[in-house]
Amino acid sequence: MADVVTFGEPMVLLAGDRDKIYDSNHFTKYIAGSELNVSVGLARLGHDVIYATKLGEDPFGRYIYDFIKKEGINPSYIKFDSSNLTGLMFKSKKENGDPEIFYFRKHSAASFIDQKDLEFVKSVNPKFIHLTGITLGLSTNTRNAFNFLLKIAKGKNVPVVFDPNLRPQLWKDKDEMVKIINDVAFSSNIFLPGIKEAEILTGLSDPEMIGRFYIEKGVKIVIVKMGEKGAFVVSKDESYAIPSFHVKVVDTVGAGDGFDAGMISGLLDGISLREAVVRANAIGAMQVMTPGDNDGLP
């Protein structure tokens, strides 16, 4: 039995030394991927995590596989693809705000994940399934696999934690992205949008109104992530703000993934939702103090 099951695309991240990628002369190697970051965070906090993916039969794929094993994440459902390569991501160095990002991920090995790669979930009983909108945008294959996993979750009555993690560059157009992401959000149990993402998805800017929008569609808990302003929690019966922790920001990428890991781990540990969101804010703050996407996770 696993505490959490997730799947997605891991990538090797090459972080540059300038605020523009093309100006950088030196790059430091890290590992990226939203679902993998959450898996790392949960595993480091002592939880049993199954992470499913496909990697290229290449040096980057082997590097990621070894990293996953060393982190204590269950690697049993990771497959190697000899026909397609592991995804690659470049990131600039940025003192303030979000860094410049560029992907080499089209037709990557992970974009060929399909529902047969997730059949194993029928025989395990996770306490949560964690998903992000990134996998919905990667390919038709991953979208079908995503919907297959949602059906399994519904059949097993497993709570789905969904982070939209909007990546407009992966979608044909904004309208398609908003419709598909919202359809999944409405069927999730816990929805974790960033405030800017929620504005795109709903046209609303007030976190309470955003939360109520999704609660009225059947979502049980909505937590709007607001960066340095903390988080705003909305359920059917209550709503409240949780302040952030003020730290020196090195890199904002991965903060939301740290937040997700903290929140899920809190619920797995049996603490209250309010306490879990405090933990989520704390871990998100720890992550932004480091240059990689997951090296700040405790």
Side-chain angles (χ1 to χ4, degrees):
M1 181 173 178
D3 290 329
V4 179
V5 167
T6 189
F7 85 105
E9 178 175 30
M11 292 175 287
V12 164
L13 162 64
L14 297 178
D17 59 354
R18 303 287 180 87
D19 62 0
K20 294 291 183 182
I21 293 172
Y22 65 77
D23 277 339
S24 296
N25 294 315
H26 302 282
F27 293 84
T28 303
K29 183 174 66 173
Y30 299 97
I31 288 178
S34 180
E35 300 86 359
L36 179 54
N37 294 337
V38 174
S39 298
V40 169
L42 289 167
R44 289 183 186 173
L45 293 170
H47 301 294
D48 295 322
V49 184
I50 293 177
Y51 173 71
T53 194
K54 281 184 175 176
L55 299 168
E57 188 70 75
D58 53 55
F60 285 161
R62 286 294 171 186
Y63 172 63
I64 292 172
Y65 184 76
D66 287 349
F67 171 84
I68 288 169
K69 289 202 300 180
K70 288 175 183 176
E71 288 290 341
I73 298 166
N74 187 332
S76 301
Y77 304 99
I78 297 172
K79 298 180 180 180
F80 282 91
D81 182 344
S82 60
S83 301
N84 300 284
L85 298 174
T86 305
L88 180 63
M89 170 183 174
F90 285 85
K91 180 172 70 174
S92 68
K93 183 178 181 179
K94 194 81 169 179
E95 295 294 337
N96 296 297
D98 295 334
E100 179 188 12
I101 290 173
F102 193 86
Y103 298 110
F104 289 90
R105 69 194 307 180
K106 189 174 182 180
H107 303 310
S108 67
S111 71
F112 289 91
I113 298 169
D114 56 33
Q115 72 176 51
K116 69 177 180 293
D117 297 312
L118 302 178
E119 288 280 352
F120 73 89
V121 183
K122 292 180 178 178
S123 61
V124 299
N125 295 293
K127 296 173 184 174
F128 290 98
I129 288 176
H130 172 265
L131 298 168
T132 85
I134 297 172
T135 49
L136 281 170
L138 284 179
S139 67
T140 301
N141 290 324
T142 57
R143 191 174 303 170
N144 290 339
F146 189 109
N147 291 327
F148 175 71
L149 194 50
L150 283 180
K151 290 180 182 178
I152 295 175
K154 185 175 181 180
K156 287 178 168 286
N157 200 29
V158 177
V160 172
V161 180
F162 180 52
D163 187 326
N165 246 319
L166 299 186
R167 299 290 188 274
Q169 62 268 47
L170 296 177
W171 295 87
K172 181 174 65 176
D173 57 56
K174 177 184 173 182
D175 290 343
E176 179 190 53
M177 177 182 73
V178 169
K179 182 183 185 307
I180 291 175
I181 294 289
N182 271 335
D183 283 347
V184 171
F186 299 156
S187 66
S188 65
N189 300 83
I190 303 175
F191 184 47
L192 304 172
I195 184 66
K196 293 180 181 178
E197 294 174 325
E199 289 178 10
I200 293 171
L201 293 170
T202 67
L204 303 170
S205 57
D206 179 78
E208 172 106 34
M209 293 179 65
I210 290 165
R212 292 295 163 203
F213 173 86
Y214 287 101
I215 295 296
E216 290 173 4
K217 298 292 186 179
V219 184
K220 301 299 183 186
I221 298 169
V222 180
I223 306 174
V224 182
K225 295 179 278 191
M226 301 188 295
E228 63 182 16
K229 294 182 179 179
F232 197 88
V233 182
V234 183
S235 66
K236 182 179 179 181
D237 300 321
E238 61 180 346
S239 60
Y240 51 88
I242 300 291
S244 65
F245 293 85
H246 295 284
V247 298
K248 178 176 172 54
V249 177
V250 174
D251 191 306
T252 59
V253 177
D257 302 329
F259 184 99
D260 294 5
M263 193 279 301
I264 296 169
S265 73
L267 297 182
L268 287 170
D269 287 344
I271 64 178
S272 70
L273 176 62
R274 185 182 291 267
E275 291 173 312
V277 178
V278 172
R279 179 187 293 189
N281 276 342
I283 295 178
M286 294 173 74
Q287 176 53 37
V288 303
M289 297 169 68
T290 60
D293 282 19
N294 50 54
D295 47 323
L297 299 174

